[in-house]
Amino acid sequence: TVGSEEKRGFLRLLGIDHIYDSRSLSFADEIMEQTQGEGIDVVLNSLAGEAINRNFQVLKPFGRFLELGKRDFYENTKIGLRPFRNNISYFGIDADQLLKVQTKLTQRLYVKMMSLFSEGILHPLPYRAFEADEIVDAFRYMQQSRQIGKIVITYRNGINNIHYPKQERLKALTLSAHNTYMVTGGLSGLGLKTAEWLAHKGAKHLLLIGRSGASTEAAQLTIAKLEAQDVQVQVALCDITNKQAISTLFTKMSTTMPPLKGIVHSATVIEDGLIINTDAAQIKRVLAPKVLGAYHLHDLTIDIPLDFFILFSSATTFFGNPGQANYVAANTCLENLAEQRRANGLPATCVAWGAIDDVGFLARNKNIKTALLNRMGGSALNSAIALNILEQLLIKHQSNKGVMEFNWTALTRFLPTANSPKFQELTKNSVKDDDKNNSNDIEQLLLTLSDEELLTTFIEMLKIETGEILRMSPHKIDAHKSIYDMGLDSLMGVELMVALEARFGIRLPVMTLNETPTLAKLAERIILLLKTGEQDTFNESDILAQTQQIFSKHDVENAEELINTTVQNLQAKNYNHSTDKIIH
């Protein structure tokens, strides 16, 4: 299966007779028809998504499925076990793993492969060469899946026009070796990493507070490492919600340790649940360590000249997060406390962390981290990067800043309040430059333009969006030619649908491109949807596929509410058959 006429022609020159279209799922039916319903013995696959299920359908009993693609691995795509009743075998093939894990086998295979090249049995694949200065064009060429064989970067003319970004000279934080620095929640997760970071910045006396003490292997190893660096580490088994216990600890510390100069409050408890199912005790368990702990530390140190008073909050306070109302409330209290301290001339730095990759709650709960990143459309931060940013916040005396990576367009799909005034700056900044300079008010265009003018205007708008993705000049795009023949692939199709949803404010399934592959037809479809006000253009199979995808990204606790909402929506649209399937 191939995706363009150019590639089909190349395969015909190689003498291949049976060639199918990889941009359509009809290849499976065509293969079964040509094999009189028997199917085939081996699938060597690099396609993603629904194409995988179609590939299973064409395998004979005892057939083999060889998977070269990685996308479905990383997205954790679900496949059922039913195809395996026919004794088929599935092999996930990743050469990177071979290089990392089976080094000796890799060497043997490489030597054998090179000898086959020397003997003329193997030959290099076709390739398209780009000069080093054309590296951006090379990546665009690859993104559009235009290559046959490989893409090669050459250095025949050297590298010219090198751009060296101006490096900002950043100040460094230096802590005194003659003072004490306290970290609550300092025996696990990001708190433990912060303790290491404080030592790296010069601290020689650390007081680490935790409910369970240094009971974990990670805590014990870190403390041993710090002590080997001549850092004195005191571990306190203390309930941060008990003001008397903290007061006693401070009294003891004043006689056994140097003066206290800095506090990092990272203690936290996470106990998620839908708010309708949350009781007072569950709310208190989450609020107490963050809120009571912070206020106790504030009261007991109000007369101590601290250099810093750091509070670890969460980016969920900006956007909210289903199932974490108690956690969001607790972090909001910390942000307000920081504002209160700063207003009174006291040091305070509250930082709202996004997803942290290598330590803490998300590092221990991979499924939750994956679901969160799918919502945010970004990636998790390494703790070292996060703490480097914290250092700059301290130096610049800034507070209540969020530190995260996210894609606003992706996040808005899950954020009901995305269009509220609170987020207007983010929304405005996410709009493309092309959009900033035109006054294409869709509603105004629908009211004022004739049908012919409207179609022409929408086609030009679609050309701009498509050209941005294909890296083509809009005037070179033929509105009556299939966009797949111009180099659009399935991943770009998703990107185009997201862009069109943002531009026109309507929902378009990706399958729309298969039904209307020219921009002229797509413009007519969009105009019809806008004029009729009909938003739901899914057929039944689309709805089922979308619902399964949604379910895969939610935890069990949210499933009941999600099912009820989905069923109500489907019943309102008379998709009764789909409703039965979804309930099942």
PDB file of all heavy atoms in Angstrom, residues 406-439:
ATOM      1  N   PHE A 406       2.599  23.329  27.484  1.00  0.00           N
ATOM      2  CA  PHE A 406       1.294  22.886  27.009  1.00  0.00           C
ATOM      3  C   PHE A 406       0.997  23.530  25.666  1.00  0.00           C
ATOM      4  O   PHE A 406       1.623  24.502  25.257  1.00  0.00           O
ATOM      5  CB  PHE A 406       0.193  23.239  28.014  1.00  0.00           C
ATOM      6  CG  PHE A 406      -0.054  24.717  28.175  1.00  0.00           C
ATOM      7  CD1 PHE A 406      -1.045  25.356  27.455  1.00  0.00           C
ATOM      8  CD2 PHE A 406       0.713  25.467  29.053  1.00  0.00           C
ATOM      9  CE1 PHE A 406      -1.258  26.713  27.599  1.00  0.00           C
ATOM     10  CE2 PHE A 406       0.502  26.821  29.215  1.00  0.00           C
ATOM     11  CZ  PHE A 406      -0.496  27.447  28.469  1.00  0.00           C
ATOM     12  N   ASN A 407       0.030  22.960  24.973  1.00  0.00           N
ATOM     13  CA  ASN A 407      -0.443  23.486  23.697  1.00  0.00           C
ATOM     14  C   ASN A 407      -1.845  24.023  23.922  1.00  0.00           C
ATOM     15  O   ASN A 407      -2.759  23.257  24.236  1.00  0.00           O
ATOM     16  CB  ASN A 407      -0.437  22.375  22.639  1.00  0.00           C
ATOM     17  CG  ASN A 407      -0.930  22.860  21.290  1.00  0.00           C
ATOM     18  OD1 ASN A 407      -2.117  23.128  21.114  1.00  0.00           O
ATOM     19  ND2 ASN A 407      -0.032  22.959  20.344  1.00  0.00           N
ATOM     20  N   TRP A 408      -2.004  25.332  23.775  1.00  0.00           N
ATOM     21  CA  TRP A 408      -3.288  25.945  24.114  1.00  0.00           C
ATOM     22  C   TRP A 408      -4.419  25.397  23.249  1.00  0.00           C
ATOM     23  O   TRP A 408      -5.515  25.142  23.727  1.00  0.00           O
ATOM     24  CB  TRP A 408      -3.200  27.461  23.985  1.00  0.00           C
ATOM     25  CG  TRP A 408      -4.486  28.147  24.308  1.00  0.00           C
ATOM     26  CD1 TRP A 408      -5.295  28.850  23.473  1.00  0.00           C
ATOM     27  CD2 TRP A 408      -5.141  28.167  25.587  1.00  0.00           C
ATOM     28  NE1 TRP A 408      -6.400  29.319  24.127  1.00  0.00           N
ATOM     29  CE2 TRP A 408      -6.332  28.916  25.433  1.00  0.00           C
ATOM     30  CE3 TRP A 408      -4.834  27.639  26.834  1.00  0.00           C
ATOM     31  CZ2 TRP A 408      -7.212  29.129  26.495  1.00  0.00           C
ATOM     32  CZ3 TRP A 408      -5.724  27.854  27.869  1.00  0.00           C
ATOM     33  CH2 TRP A 408      -6.890  28.593  27.702  1.00  0.00           C
ATOM     34  N   THR A 409      -4.146  25.180  21.958  1.00  0.00           N
ATOM     35  CA  THR A 409      -5.188  24.655  21.069  1.00  0.00           C
ATOM     36  C   THR A 409      -5.659  23.286  21.548  1.00  0.00           C
ATOM     37  O   THR A 409      -6.854  23.001  21.557  1.00  0.00           O
ATOM     38  CB  THR A 409      -4.659  24.563  19.624  1.00  0.00           C
ATOM     39  OG1 THR A 409      -4.231  25.857  19.200  1.00  0.00           O
ATOM     40  CG2 THR A 409      -5.747  24.077  18.686  1.00  0.00           C
ATOM     41  N   ALA A 410      -4.708  22.429  21.948  1.00  0.00           N
ATOM     42  CA  ALA A 410      -5.077  21.099  22.444  1.00  0.00           C
ATOM     43  C   ALA A 410      -5.842  21.208  23.758  1.00  0.00           C
ATOM     44  O   ALA A 410      -6.835  20.517  23.981  1.00  0.00           O
ATOM     45  CB  ALA A 410      -3.820  20.243  22.623  1.00  0.00           C
ATOM     46  N   LEU A 411      -5.379  22.093  24.634  1.00  0.00           N
ATOM     47  CA  LEU A 411      -5.992  22.217  25.957  1.00  0.00           C
ATOM     48  C   LEU A 411      -7.422  22.727  25.867  1.00  0.00           C
ATOM     49  O   LEU A 411      -8.290  22.327  26.648  1.00  0.00           O
ATOM     50  CB  LEU A 411      -5.150  23.145  26.822  1.00  0.00           C
ATOM     51  CG  LEU A 411      -5.513  23.266  28.304  1.00  0.00           C
ATOM     52  CD1 LEU A 411      -5.470  21.904  28.980  1.00  0.00           C
ATOM     53  CD2 LEU A 411      -4.563  24.226  29.002  1.00  0.00           C
ATOM     54  N   THR A 412      -7.710  23.614  24.918  1.00  0.00           N
ATOM     55  CA  THR A 412      -9.051  24.193  24.818  1.00  0.00           C
ATOM     56  C   THR A 412     -10.113  23.151  24.501  1.00  0.00           C
ATOM     57  O   THR A 412     -11.292  23.356  24.806  1.00  0.00           O
ATOM     58  CB  THR A 412      -9.094  25.286  23.741  1.00  0.00           C
ATOM     59  OG1 THR A 412      -8.620  24.754  22.491  1.00  0.00           O
ATOM     60  CG2 THR A 412      -8.253  26.474  24.139  1.00  0.00           C
ATOM     61  N   ARG A 413      -9.705  22.036  23.898  1.00  0.00           N
ATOM     62  CA  ARG A 413     -10.688  20.997  23.582  1.00  0.00           C
ATOM     63  C   ARG A 413     -11.257  20.344  24.835  1.00  0.00           C
ATOM     64  O   ARG A 413     -12.312  19.733  24.808  1.00  0.00           O
ATOM     65  CB  ARG A 413     -10.055  19.930  22.670  1.00  0.00           C
ATOM     66  CG  ARG A 413      -9.702  20.439  21.292  1.00  0.00           C
ATOM     67  CD  ARG A 413      -9.496  19.289  20.330  1.00  0.00           C
ATOM     68  NE  ARG A 413      -8.315  18.519  20.645  1.00  0.00           N
ATOM     69  CZ  ARG A 413      -7.112  18.774  20.143  1.00  0.00           C
ATOM     70  NH1 ARG A 413      -6.936  19.782  19.334  1.00  0.00           N
ATOM     71  NH2 ARG A 413      -6.076  18.024  20.457  1.00  0.00           N
ATOM     72  N   PHE A 414     -10.531  20.457  25.963  1.00  0.00           N
ATOM     73  CA  PHE A 414     -10.987  19.854  27.215  1.00  0.00           C
ATOM     74  C   PHE A 414     -11.366  20.916  28.248  1.00  0.00           C
ATOM     75  O   PHE A 414     -11.705  20.571  29.372  1.00  0.00           O
ATOM     76  CB  PHE A 414      -9.880  18.965  27.801  1.00  0.00           C
ATOM     77  CG  PHE A 414      -9.507  17.815  26.927  1.00  0.00           C
ATOM     78  CD1 PHE A 414      -8.452  17.915  26.037  1.00  0.00           C
ATOM     79  CD2 PHE A 414     -10.231  16.636  26.964  1.00  0.00           C
ATOM     80  CE1 PHE A 414      -8.112  16.855  25.225  1.00  0.00           C
ATOM     81  CE2 PHE A 414      -9.891  15.575  26.154  1.00  0.00           C
ATOM     82  CZ  PHE A 414      -8.832  15.674  25.279  1.00  0.00           C
ATOM     83  N   LEU A 415     -11.298  22.183  27.862  1.00  0.00           N
ATOM     84  CA  LEU A 415     -11.465  23.261  28.832  1.00  0.00           C
ATOM     85  C   LEU A 415     -12.725  24.062  28.507  1.00  0.00           C
ATOM     86  O   LEU A 415     -12.732  24.885  27.590  1.00  0.00           O
ATOM     87  CB  LEU A 415     -10.236  24.174  28.787  1.00  0.00           C
ATOM     88  CG  LEU A 415     -10.094  25.203  29.903  1.00  0.00           C
ATOM     89  CD1 LEU A 415      -9.959  24.507  31.247  1.00  0.00           C
ATOM     90  CD2 LEU A 415      -8.871  26.077  29.645  1.00  0.00           C
ATOM     91  N   PRO A 416     -13.816  23.828  29.238  1.00  0.00           N
ATOM     92  CA  PRO A 416     -15.080  24.515  28.929  1.00  0.00           C
ATOM     93  C   PRO A 416     -14.971  26.031  29.020  1.00  0.00           C
ATOM     94  O   PRO A 416     -15.714  26.747  28.353  1.00  0.00           O
ATOM     95  CB  PRO A 416     -16.042  23.966  29.998  1.00  0.00           C
ATOM     96  CG  PRO A 416     -15.440  22.681  30.446  1.00  0.00           C
ATOM     97  CD  PRO A 416     -13.962  22.869  30.339  1.00  0.00           C
ATOM     98  N   THR A 417     -14.045  26.548  29.853  1.00  0.00           N
ATOM     99  CA  THR A 417     -13.955  27.995  30.050  1.00  0.00           C
ATOM    100  C   THR A 417     -12.902  28.645  29.151  1.00  0.00           C
ATOM    101  O   THR A 417     -12.499  29.784  29.382  1.00  0.00           O
ATOM    102  CB  THR A 417     -13.600  28.289  31.518  1.00  0.00           C
ATOM    103  OG1 THR A 417     -12.351  27.630  31.837  1.00  0.00           O
ATOM    104  CG2 THR A 417     -14.684  27.802  32.455  1.00  0.00           C
ATOM    105  N   ALA A 418     -12.472  27.935  28.103  1.00  0.00           N
ATOM    106  CA  ALA A 418     -11.363  28.431  27.278  1.00  0.00           C
ATOM    107  C   ALA A 418     -11.658  29.782  26.645  1.00  0.00           C
ATOM    108  O   ALA A 418     -10.747  30.585  26.434  1.00  0.00           O
ATOM    109  CB  ALA A 418     -11.035  27.407  26.192  1.00  0.00           C
ATOM    110  N   ASN A 419     -12.928  30.042  26.340  1.00  0.00           N
ATOM    111  CA  ASN A 419     -13.277  31.297  25.667  1.00  0.00           C
ATOM    112  C   ASN A 419     -13.645  32.415  26.638  1.00  0.00           C
ATOM    113  O   ASN A 419     -14.115  33.478  26.222  1.00  0.00           O
ATOM    114  CB  ASN A 419     -14.431  31.061  24.691  1.00  0.00           C
ATOM    115  CG  ASN A 419     -14.028  30.147  23.553  1.00  0.00           C
ATOM    116  OD1 ASN A 419     -12.919  30.247  23.035  1.00  0.00           O
ATOM    117  ND2 ASN A 419     -14.918  29.243  23.163  1.00  0.00           N
ATOM    118  N   SER A 420     -13.448  32.193  27.931  1.00  0.00           N
ATOM    119  CA  SER A 420     -13.780  33.219  28.915  1.00  0.00           C
ATOM    120  C   SER A 420     -12.718  34.319  28.880  1.00  0.00           C
ATOM    121  O   SER A 420     -11.595  34.113  28.419  1.00  0.00           O
ATOM    122  CB  SER A 420     -13.858  32.609  30.313  1.00  0.00           C
ATOM    123  OG  SER A 420     -12.580  32.137  30.711  1.00  0.00           O
ATOM    124  N   PRO A 421     -13.063  35.533  29.369  1.00  0.00           N
ATOM    125  CA  PRO A 421     -12.095  36.647  29.371  1.00  0.00           C
ATOM    126  C   PRO A 421     -10.787  36.315  30.092  1.00  0.00           C
ATOM    127  O   PRO A 421      -9.742  36.866  29.763  1.00  0.00           O
ATOM    128  CB  PRO A 421     -12.861  37.762  30.086  1.00  0.00           C
ATOM    129  CG  PRO A 421     -14.305  37.451  29.845  1.00  0.00           C
ATOM    130  CD  PRO A 421     -14.398  35.951  29.844  1.00  0.00           C
ATOM    131  N   LYS A 422     -10.853  35.395  31.063  1.00  0.00           N
ATOM    132  CA  LYS A 422      -9.654  35.049  31.826  1.00  0.00           C
ATOM    133  C   LYS A 422      -8.507  34.593  30.919  1.00  0.00           C
ATOM    134  O   LYS A 422      -7.335  34.852  31.203  1.00  0.00           O
ATOM    135  CB  LYS A 422     -10.005  33.940  32.830  1.00  0.00           C
ATOM    136  CG  LYS A 422      -8.837  33.415  33.642  1.00  0.00           C
ATOM    137  CD  LYS A 422      -9.307  32.338  34.601  1.00  0.00           C
ATOM    138  CE  LYS A 422      -8.130  31.791  35.423  1.00  0.00           C
ATOM    139  NZ  LYS A 422      -8.562  30.757  36.375  1.00  0.00           N
ATOM    140  N   PHE A 423      -8.848  33.911  29.816  1.00  0.00           N
ATOM    141  CA  PHE A 423      -7.834  33.317  28.955  1.00  0.00           C
ATOM    142  C   PHE A 423      -7.700  34.037  27.615  1.00  0.00           C
ATOM    143  O   PHE A 423      -7.150  33.482  26.670  1.00  0.00           O
ATOM    144  CB  PHE A 423      -8.146  31.836  28.708  1.00  0.00           C
ATOM    145  CG  PHE A 423      -8.192  31.005  29.953  1.00  0.00           C
ATOM    146  CD1 PHE A 423      -9.364  30.367  30.340  1.00  0.00           C
ATOM    147  CD2 PHE A 423      -7.070  30.866  30.754  1.00  0.00           C
ATOM    148  CE1 PHE A 423      -9.418  29.603  31.494  1.00  0.00           C
ATOM    149  CE2 PHE A 423      -7.112  30.103  31.908  1.00  0.00           C
ATOM    150  CZ  PHE A 423      -8.285  29.472  32.282  1.00  0.00           C
ATOM    151  N   GLN A 424      -8.195  35.283  27.534  1.00  0.00           N
ATOM    152  CA  GLN A 424      -8.214  35.939  26.232  1.00  0.00           C
ATOM    153  C   GLN A 424      -6.806  36.203  25.686  1.00  0.00           C
ATOM    154  O   GLN A 424      -6.598  36.155  24.460  1.00  0.00           O
ATOM    155  CB  GLN A 424      -8.999  37.246  26.314  1.00  0.00           C
ATOM    156  CG  GLN A 424      -8.422  38.291  27.255  1.00  0.00           C
ATOM    157  CD  GLN A 424      -9.294  39.538  27.314  1.00  0.00           C
ATOM    158  OE1 GLN A 424     -10.325  39.604  26.658  1.00  0.00           O
ATOM    159  NE2 GLN A 424      -8.887  40.512  28.116  1.00  0.00           N
ATOM    160  N   GLU A 425      -5.827  36.423  26.573  1.00  0.00           N
ATOM    161  CA  GLU A 425      -4.464  36.643  26.087  1.00  0.00           C
ATOM    162  C   GLU A 425      -3.895  35.374  25.456  1.00  0.00           C
ATOM    163  O   GLU A 425      -3.250  35.423  24.412  1.00  0.00           O
ATOM    164  CB  GLU A 425      -3.560  37.114  27.230  1.00  0.00           C
ATOM    165  CG  GLU A 425      -3.778  38.550  27.655  1.00  0.00           C
ATOM    166  CD  GLU A 425      -3.500  39.531  26.529  1.00  0.00           C
ATOM    167  OE1 GLU A 425      -2.474  39.366  25.837  1.00  0.00           O
ATOM    168  OE2 GLU A 425      -4.301  40.462  26.325  1.00  0.00           O
ATOM    169  N   LEU A 426      -4.123  34.240  26.112  1.00  0.00           N
ATOM    170  CA  LEU A 426      -3.650  32.969  25.545  1.00  0.00           C
ATOM    171  C   LEU A 426      -4.326  32.690  24.210  1.00  0.00           C
ATOM    172  O   LEU A 426      -3.692  32.258  23.256  1.00  0.00           O
ATOM    173  CB  LEU A 426      -3.932  31.820  26.523  1.00  0.00           C
ATOM    174  CG  LEU A 426      -3.014  31.705  27.734  1.00  0.00           C
ATOM    175  CD1 LEU A 426      -3.540  30.649  28.691  1.00  0.00           C
ATOM    176  CD2 LEU A 426      -1.599  31.370  27.321  1.00  0.00           C
ATOM    177  N   THR A 427      -5.636  32.918  24.172  1.00  0.00           N
ATOM    178  CA  THR A 427      -6.374  32.672  22.939  1.00  0.00           C
ATOM    179  C   THR A 427      -5.878  33.585  21.824  1.00  0.00           C
ATOM    180  O   THR A 427      -5.652  33.145  20.698  1.00  0.00           O
ATOM    181  CB  THR A 427      -7.884  32.897  23.163  1.00  0.00           C
ATOM    182  OG1 THR A 427      -8.322  32.034  24.215  1.00  0.00           O
ATOM    183  CG2 THR A 427      -8.671  32.603  21.910  1.00  0.00           C
ATOM    184  N   LYS A 428      -5.674  34.849  22.159  1.00  0.00           N
ATOM    185  CA  LYS A 428      -5.228  35.817  21.152  1.00  0.00           C
ATOM    186  C   LYS A 428      -3.839  35.459  20.635  1.00  0.00           C
ATOM    187  O   LYS A 428      -3.576  35.510  19.432  1.00  0.00           O
ATOM    188  CB  LYS A 428      -5.216  37.218  21.763  1.00  0.00           C
ATOM    189  CG  LYS A 428      -4.800  38.314  20.779  1.00  0.00           C
ATOM    190  CD  LYS A 428      -4.970  39.678  21.407  1.00  0.00           C
ATOM    191  CE  LYS A 428      -4.002  39.899  22.553  1.00  0.00           C
ATOM    192  NZ  LYS A 428      -4.096  41.268  23.112  1.00  0.00           N
ATOM    193  N   ASN A 429      -2.951  35.052  21.526  1.00  0.00           N
ATOM    194  CA  ASN A 429      -1.588  34.737  21.127  1.00  0.00           C
ATOM    195  C   ASN A 429      -1.479  33.432  20.354  1.00  0.00           C
ATOM    196  O   ASN A 429      -0.473  33.190  19.692  1.00  0.00           O
ATOM    197  CB  ASN A 429      -0.676  34.676  22.356  1.00  0.00           C
ATOM    198  CG  ASN A 429      -0.496  36.032  22.998  1.00  0.00           C
ATOM    199  OD1 ASN A 429      -0.622  37.052  22.336  1.00  0.00           O
ATOM    200  ND2 ASN A 429      -0.222  36.046  24.293  1.00  0.00           N
ATOM    201  N   SER A 430      -2.489  32.590  20.463  1.00  0.00           N
ATOM    202  CA  SER A 430      -2.444  31.315  19.743  1.00  0.00           C
ATOM    203  C   SER A 430      -2.956  31.441  18.316  1.00  0.00           C
ATOM    204  O   SER A 430      -2.817  30.518  17.517  1.00  0.00           O
ATOM    205  CB  SER A 430      -3.269  30.249  20.483  1.00  0.00           C
ATOM    206  OG  SER A 430      -4.644  30.564  20.406  1.00  0.00           O
ATOM    207  N   VAL A 431      -3.552  32.571  17.994  1.00  0.00           N
ATOM    208  CA  VAL A 431      -4.070  32.770  16.643  1.00  0.00           C
ATOM    209  C   VAL A 431      -2.908  32.992  15.681  1.00  0.00           C
ATOM    210  O   VAL A 431      -1.963  33.699  15.982  1.00  0.00           O
ATOM    211  CB  VAL A 431      -5.020  33.985  16.603  1.00  0.00           C
ATOM    212  CG1 VAL A 431      -5.514  34.255  15.195  1.00  0.00           C
ATOM    213  CG2 VAL A 431      -6.199  33.750  17.529  1.00  0.00           C
ATOM    214  N   LYS A 432      -2.949  32.397  14.504  1.00  0.00           N
ATOM    215  CA  LYS A 432      -1.882  32.544  13.515  1.00  0.00           C
ATOM    216  C   LYS A 432      -1.787  33.987  13.025  1.00  0.00           C
ATOM    217  O   LYS A 432      -2.752  34.732  13.035  1.00  0.00           O
ATOM    218  CB  LYS A 432      -2.146  31.615  12.317  1.00  0.00           C
ATOM    219  CG  LYS A 432      -2.077  30.142  12.649  1.00  0.00           C
ATOM    220  CD  LYS A 432      -2.234  29.348  11.378  1.00  0.00           C
ATOM    221  CE  LYS A 432      -2.121  27.850  11.648  1.00  0.00           C
ATOM    222  NZ  LYS A 432      -3.233  27.321  12.366  1.00  0.00           N
ATOM    223  N   ASP A 433      -0.601  34.342  12.550  1.00  0.00           N
ATOM    224  CA  ASP A 433      -0.398  35.693  12.035  1.00  0.00           C
ATOM    225  C   ASP A 433      -1.350  35.989  10.879  1.00  0.00           C
ATOM    226  O   ASP A 433      -1.815  37.112  10.712  1.00  0.00           O
ATOM    227  CB  ASP A 433       1.048  35.859  11.547  1.00  0.00           C
ATOM    228  CG  ASP A 433       2.016  35.864  12.715  1.00  0.00           C
ATOM    229  OD1 ASP A 433       1.576  36.157  13.848  1.00  0.00           O
ATOM    230  OD2 ASP A 433       3.193  35.577  12.493  1.00  0.00           O
ATOM    231  N   ASP A 434      -1.626  34.989  10.065  1.00  0.00           N
ATOM    232  CA  ASP A 434      -2.548  35.206   8.941  1.00  0.00           C
ATOM    233  C   ASP A 434      -3.909  35.648   9.439  1.00  0.00           C
ATOM    234  O   ASP A 434      -4.593  36.453   8.810  1.00  0.00           O
ATOM    235  CB  ASP A 434      -2.707  33.917   8.117  1.00  0.00           C
ATOM    236  CG  ASP A 434      -1.461  33.616   7.306  1.00  0.00           C
ATOM    237  OD1 ASP A 434      -0.801  34.568   6.867  1.00  0.00           O
ATOM    238  OD2 ASP A 434      -1.155  32.426   7.123  1.00  0.00           O
ATOM    239  N   ASP A 435      -4.302  35.092  10.595  1.00  0.00           N
ATOM    240  CA  ASP A 435      -5.618  35.417  11.132  1.00  0.00           C
ATOM    241  C   ASP A 435      -5.632  36.814  11.746  1.00  0.00           C
ATOM    242  O   ASP A 435      -6.655  37.492  11.745  1.00  0.00           O
ATOM    243  CB  ASP A 435      -6.021  34.395  12.198  1.00  0.00           C
ATOM    244  CG  ASP A 435      -6.215  33.015  11.592  1.00  0.00           C
ATOM    245  OD1 ASP A 435      -6.424  32.904  10.372  1.00  0.00           O
ATOM    246  OD2 ASP A 435      -6.147  32.048  12.361  1.00  0.00           O
ATOM    247  N   LYS A 436      -4.489  37.247  12.289  1.00  0.00           N
ATOM    248  CA  LYS A 436      -4.440  38.533  12.979  1.00  0.00           C
ATOM    249  C   LYS A 436      -4.714  39.688  12.022  1.00  0.00           C
ATOM    250  O   LYS A 436      -5.267  40.706  12.408  1.00  0.00           O
ATOM    251  CB  LYS A 436      -3.067  38.729  13.629  1.00  0.00           C
ATOM    252  CG  LYS A 436      -2.785  37.780  14.787  1.00  0.00           C
ATOM    253  CD  LYS A 436      -1.408  38.031  15.332  1.00  0.00           C
ATOM    254  CE  LYS A 436      -1.063  37.046  16.442  1.00  0.00           C
ATOM    255  NZ  LYS A 436       0.306  37.231  16.947  1.00  0.00           N
ATOM    256  N   ASN A 437      -4.264  39.510  10.766  1.00  0.00           N
ATOM    257  CA  ASN A 437      -4.302  40.626   9.833  1.00  0.00           C
ATOM    258  C   ASN A 437      -5.543  40.630   8.957  1.00  0.00           C
ATOM    259  O   ASN A 437      -5.654  41.434   8.045  1.00  0.00           O
ATOM    260  CB  ASN A 437      -3.043  40.591   8.952  1.00  0.00           C
ATOM    261  CG  ASN A 437      -1.789  40.738   9.783  1.00  0.00           C
ATOM    262  OD1 ASN A 437      -1.767  41.483  10.750  1.00  0.00           O
ATOM    263  ND2 ASN A 437      -0.746  40.019   9.418  1.00  0.00           N
ATOM    264  N   ASN A 438      -6.449  39.667   9.155  1.00  0.00           N
ATOM    265  CA  ASN A 438      -7.667  39.729   8.351  1.00  0.00           C
ATOM    266  C   ASN A 438      -8.869  39.862   9.270  1.00  0.00           C
ATOM    267  O   ASN A 438      -8.825  39.548  10.445  1.00  0.00           O
ATOM    268  CB  ASN A 438      -7.795  38.501   7.425  1.00  0.00           C
ATOM    269  CG  ASN A 438      -8.001  37.218   8.190  1.00  0.00           C
ATOM    270  OD1 ASN A 438      -8.897  37.133   9.017  1.00  0.00           O
ATOM    271  ND2 ASN A 438      -7.186  36.207   7.923  1.00  0.00           N
ATOM    272  N   SER A 439      -9.927  40.328   8.710  1.00  0.00           N
ATOM    273  CA  SER A 439     -11.143  40.574   9.496  1.00  0.00           C
ATOM    274  C   SER A 439     -12.221  39.591   9.098  1.00  0.00           C
ATOM    275  O   SER A 439     -13.365  39.969   8.851  1.00  0.00           O
ATOM    276  CB  SER A 439     -11.619  42.025   9.274  1.00  0.00           C
ATOM    277  OG  SER A 439     -11.816  42.260   7.883  1.00  0.00           O
TER     278      SER A 439
END
